Amino acid sequence: MKRYCLTLDLVNDPDLIAQYRHLHSPEGIWPEIPEGIKAVGITGMDIYLLDTRLFMILEMPDDVDRDEAMARLATLPRQQEWEETVGRCQQCDPDATSAGKWQLMQQIFTLAAH
């Protein structure tokens, strides 16, 4: 299993942050979004928020290529509309795909359990 850690900043506006939180809640997320994420081979995704900073942990099997999965995700139903909707809340190019918005973080430390 591969794990990727990514980051993205939100616009510093309490209303937009509240909207972004709602869009990622069980009541607010569009059903096509988690369906598409799973369809491209992503098996786990967690997003954390601190002030305006988002942190995502993305997991997928070793045989799934992240770049290919993200490129395929961008073509799925409602994904472009989703990116436009959440893009209003994000500090990034509003026309970017998810892969273009989220920046891959470099791992600098690990503590392995033995």
Side-chain angles (χ1 to χ4, degrees):
M1 187 70 65
K2 295 182 283 191
R3 182 181 331 167
Y4 300 93
C5 297
L6 303 110
T7 190
L8 173 68
D9 290 323
L10 295 178
V11 175
N12 190 6
D13 178 315
D15 292 334
L16 290 176
I17 293 170
Q19 180 183 359
Y20 192 86
R21 289 177 70 110
H22 174 72
L23 286 167
H24 288 82
S25 71
E27 304 81 29
I29 196 159
W30 306 348
E32 297 88 352
I33 301 310
E35 290 169 5
I37 290 168
K38 293 174 188 173
V40 301
I42 297 169
T43 56
M45 179 183 286
D46 296 302
I47 300 175
Y48 298 85
L49 173 65
L50 175 65
D51 298 322
T52 60
R53 173 66 43 101
L54 295 170
F55 174 72
M56 178 195 296
I57 300 171
L58 186 69
E59 294 181 333
M60 54 185 51
D62 290 334
D63 63 344
V64 175
D65 180 274
R66 185 181 76 88
D67 293 336
E68 289 176 13
M70 297 308 288
R72 185 168 162 233
L73 181 64
T75 69
L76 296 181
R78 295 201 75 193
Q79 187 65 36
Q80 182 176 356
E81 182 185 357
W82 174 260
E83 294 301 339
E84 291 168 3
T85 300
V86 296
R88 294 183 204 117
C89 307
Q90 300 167 330
Q91 287 188 33
C92 59
D93 178 352
D95 297 324
T97 64
S98 185
K101 295 176 181 183
W102 288 90
Q103 300 300 303
L104 190 61
M105 299 178 79
Q106 179 184 19
Q107 182 179 11
I108 63 167
F109 176 79
T110 188
L111 177 66
H114 296 289

